[in-house]
Amino acid sequence: MPLQVHVCNCSFDARDRPLNGMQENGDTCNECSTRPGDEADIIRSTPRPTSSSSREGKNNQKHERQKPSYRFYAVNYGNKENKLGQVYTAFAQYLHRECPDWQPCTNAQCHLILGEAQAAGIQWAKLGLFQCKPLANFYRGFQVLCRKTLMAQNLRSHATVTATGDRLDRFLPKTFVFTKSVDERQNLLQEYRRRQGEGLNNTWILKPSGGAHGDDIVVLSREEDIVCFLDSQKSDTGTSPWVVQKYLQNPLLLPGGRKFDVRCMVLVTHDYSIYLYSEGVLRSCSARFSLDDLNDRFAHLANHCLQEHHPDYGKYEALNLLSYADFDKFLCEFDHLGPDGSPVTLEGHILPQIEDIVVYTLLAVKDQMEVLDTASYRCFNLLGFDFMLDDKCNVYLVEVNSSPTTDPRLIPRLVEEVARTAVDPLYPRQHAAASRSQQAAMGTVDSAASATGAFKLLHGAGVGHHPPA
């Protein structure tokens, strides 16, 4: 059954058009000079996925899509090699296939831009040429939080200005920064030798500032090994950006003595309101945790793209992922106690810490990220906050990801909630989106996918955030 979509007159699929096809005047397509509203800017057919039962039940009746009110551009949407990621690919598909108000477009006159990883494809300087004020899926200054060196420096600076150093030390492990302009080697060695003199654990994790997927991360405990590694990162152009961070030597462990981290989905909307998604995942390791072998990446790094290569991947949990409900059950069965000696629960002990850390972290960089009302564009950002827990269920911030993914079973509902929370307030819907039962019938969403999940407002207009004592 064809789905009617508004595109320009060009003879290729609208989803394959790069953003740089727009004219400097911002209102025509380079290939065919179509302007928004032209009679020729009207109709090309794209197949809508349907099941055979759906086709039979409708007796081949034709259903035309309502005329869309808004346009979105997703960089390389429809290209198998795109780098939108799982979440934003699903988001673009949801708008395209399930939301009658939205259509993909090929020219500059769009209301919503979905960039690839690291905001690739968003040409910020050209957004002022648009006839409307577009909404982009990245804050332009996201790197002040998503680069590990910058996150550490910005959080420390904020703590100094606000006299909240003790609060920061409770959730950010001791961190030292190494860049072309900053070298904290003397401070690192001073801390290392202090801990050594006091007989404290001295295991450290060294991470590239802009790294992903666990690439190039090493865990070391000998001073000479740490110094030698840092020296190896130097070149004629200076030191590549790295952080050296105190390694959590007493993590909370899952059955089988395995380490894990917690991925939380956080949404920052155009007005810098901060939301936490109610569903998240635990990413587990396949090998038993031990400080005796710091070279075993399967025991120390929970990254999915690494763990899937271990022979025991999926042995304990499907995809090495646990839901919040699974985690709560684990906490209950193993009778974990918090620092105050009371039984630990996700809602009562862990999520309040996570919420406090999320708000503190995002407010620390607000001045560098927030977009002024006078700007020619608006922004929102879906962020992946990664946390670890120690054996007393204290929560520590590991890093923040600008293009996160999550359990595939959560994504269909997640993208619906992103649209409802970040997009709908600016571009109100004129027509209802397809229901989840309709989506399942059309084959655009797995009927087994999670139908639960919502964003909780942590900080924003009319909401005060009071951190736990």
Side-chain angles (χ1 to χ4, degrees), residues 238-459:
T239 300
S240 57
W242 282 78
V243 294
V244 180
Q245 193 170 65
K246 182 66 187 69
Y247 191 56
L248 189 63
Q249 75 272 10
N250 59 328
L252 182 65
L253 301 176
L254 295 171
R258 297 171 301 122
K259 184 180 169 183
F260 67 92
D261 63 22
V262 183
R263 165 66 59 84
C264 298
M265 306 302 280
V266 174
L267 180 66
V268 185
T269 54
H270 73 281
D271 59 355
Y272 216 81
S273 293
I274 301 169
Y275 295 81
L276 177 66
Y277 197 58
S278 59
E279 298 292 333
V281 293
L282 278 67
R283 306 183 303 176
S284 63
C285 290
S286 301
R288 178 179 290 273
F289 173 81
S290 173
L291 292 177
D292 294 332
D293 184 2
L294 301 182
N295 294 318
D296 187 353
R297 297 170 63 80
F298 294 110
H300 296 286
L301 304 177
N303 303 75
H304 179 269
C305 54
L306 170 68
Q307 294 297 328
E308 65 182 352
H309 298 293
H310 192 277
D312 285 341
Y313 173 73
K315 174 182 176 181
Y316 296 92
E317 308 91 18
L319 304 177
N320 276 38
L321 298 175
L322 290 87
S323 67
Y324 279 176
D326 295 332
F327 187 36
D328 236 355
K329 183 179 179 181
F330 161 73
L331 293 171
C332 180
E333 289 179 350
F334 286 82
D335 197 27
H336 285 285
L337 301 179
D340 60 355
S342 63
V344 170
T345 64
L346 183 65
E347 288 287 340
H349 292 77
I350 296 171
L351 285 180
Q353 294 181 69
I354 287 175
E355 292 176 3
D356 180 42
I357 295 169
V358 165
V359 172
Y360 181 96
T361 300
L362 282 166
L363 292 185
V365 296
K366 181 179 179 181
D367 289 345
Q368 299 175 72
M369 281 184 56
E370 190 175 28
V371 177
L372 299 178
D373 291 338
T374 55
S376 58
Y377 54 86
R378 298 184 180 96
C379 302
F380 75 94
N381 224 142
L382 184 66
L383 300 166
F385 274 68
D386 290 346
F387 299 96
M388 287 191 62
L389 280 71
D390 66 16
D391 53 12
K392 297 297 184 182
C393 292
N394 296 306
V395 177
Y396 299 87
L397 176 62
V398 177
E399 64 185 32
V400 181
N401 301 274
S402 63
S403 304
T405 189
T406 185
D407 187 331
R409 294 165 291 191
L410 299 181
I411 291 178
R413 176 68 176 194
L414 172 66
V415 298
E416 292 178 20
E417 292 302 303
V418 170
R420 185 183 66 81
T421 308
V423 179
D424 288 358
L426 293 174
Y427 304 112
R429 300 190 190 198
Q430 308 302 315
H431 310 97
S435 68
R436 293 188 65 79
S437 59
Q438 290 171 328
Q439 294 176 45
M442 291 186 293
T444 58
V445 65
D446 184 352
S447 59
S450 173
T452 64
F455 280 105
K456 175 183 178 181
L457 179 61
L458 303 183
H459 182 88

